[in-house]
Amino acid sequence: MVTERDRALADDAADARLAAMIEPGSLLEATPECLVVARADGRILFANHHVEQLTGFGRDELVGHSVELLIAADLLDEEPGSRIEAVCRTSDGRDLPVEVHIGRIDGPEQLIVVTLRDASELQAGREARFEAEAKYKALVEQIPAVVYLDPIDEDSDSIYVSPQVVTLLGVDQNEWLTDPYCWRNHVHPEDIDRVWDGYQQAFNEHTTLNHEYRMVHEDGTVKWVL
């Protein structure tokens, strides 16, 4: 039979183990994420200083209370590795949209690890990235040349190709992006070894590449490219 004293001793042991993990300079305190550690029943054991900055709650106001004080969602039933959108309560009564990541620390007592990210900042980052990509595409798709982004691995799909590839080689963008050998198949057979060796050398030596070779259009026309 487990007594209240046994539970208290178990809690003290868990607190001691956690205290050893969160000494100044530890990973839990040093991580740039807003991080909360709670017991399996949801009681908060630890919140790093980023949580204080995000929510306005002091650490002493959080420890010992249910994680539901912070997150308006039932986190205890979520599987480790889950990522959900929820609302975080702040000390001044505001509801802050957050992205929540759920993890576990296995041991004598299983602990829940909750990572919070301000969803408004994430959305702002996504919007800024979308705007940058739109400006980039608007620029490269107006110049009279094919622009493409490729991994150096010849077996990997391309990342981007501008629509001018249709004029140059007679292939559509989707074919270029989904066939990892599309570029190779359109380089003139007599040039491919020299060209590929040049690419590999430039990649390995971190140098720029400027060379000329022949490519073959779908209709058989041979074109010199720089």
Side-chain angles (χ1 to χ4, degrees):
M1 178 178 177
V2 179
T3 65
E4 288 297 326
R5 183 173 183 276
D6 292 333
R7 291 194 190 91
L9 290 173
D11 285 351
D12 289 344
D15 290 346
R17 288 194 302 272
L18 187 62
M21 297 170 60
I22 59 176
E23 292 176 350
S26 71
L27 179 62
L28 295 183
E29 188 59 63
T31 177
E33 304 282 1
C34 294
L35 189 143
V36 175
V37 179
R39 289 197 168 94
D41 63 4
R43 283 179 296 155
I44 296 173
L45 284 170
F46 169 76
N48 68 6
H49 68 282
H50 293 295
V51 176
E52 295 180 296
Q53 294 171 352
L54 179 69
T55 69
F57 285 109
R59 208 171 304 195
D60 56 340
E61 298 177 273
L62 299 173
V63 173
H65 294 278
S66 171
V67 71
E68 292 181 359
L69 173 68
L70 278 180
I71 309 298
D74 188 0
L75 304 182
L76 304 185
D77 294 332
E78 296 290 339
E79 292 294 323
S82 297
R83 177 185 300 178
I84 65 172
E85 294 182 357
V87 171
C88 176
R89 300 184 177 98
T90 64
S91 62
D92 59 5
R94 292 181 297 113
D95 287 339
L96 182 69
V98 290
E99 184 179 87
V100 182
H101 297 244
I102 314 297
R104 295 282 192 276
I105 297 177
D106 292 319
E109 179 188 6
Q110 190 178 73
L111 301 176
I112 301 170
V113 180
V114 180
T115 304
L116 309 175
R117 292 182 180 176
D118 186 339
S120 60
E121 292 184 359
L122 291 172
Q123 181 60 30
R126 284 191 287 265
E127 291 175 354
R129 187 167 61 251
F130 177 81
E131 181 179 356
E133 290 174 353
K135 289 179 178 178
Y136 172 78
K137 290 183 68 174
L139 173 64
V140 302
E141 292 180 3
Q142 296 301 316
I143 62 177
V146 177
V147 177
Y148 64 93
L149 303 177
D150 251 5
I152 194 64
D153 180 1
E154 61 180 318
D155 295 322
S156 297
D157 292 346
S158 296
I159 300 167
Y160 170 79
V161 64
S162 62
Q164 291 90 328
V165 73
V166 179
T167 302
L168 179 67
L169 298 176
V171 299
D172 62 35
Q173 290 168 281
N174 186 62
E175 180 180 353
W176 182 282
L177 295 175
T178 56
D179 179 1
Y181 299 102
C182 190
W183 171 82
R184 173 179 283 274
N185 290 339
H186 286 83
V187 177
H188 196 284
E190 295 178 7
D191 294 346
I192 185 61
D193 290 340
R194 171 179 61 83
V195 173
W196 183 248
D197 288 345
Y199 273 122
Q200 292 279 11
Q201 181 178 358
F203 176 78
N204 293 328
E205 297 178 359
H206 304 286
T207 58
T208 58
L209 181 66
N210 185 2
H211 62 179
E212 296 183 11
Y213 56 93
R214 291 167 291 178
M215 297 197 77
V216 183
H217 192 281
E218 284 287 298
D219 64 9
T221 304
V222 175
K223 300 188 177 184
W224 279 93
V225 298
L226 172 65

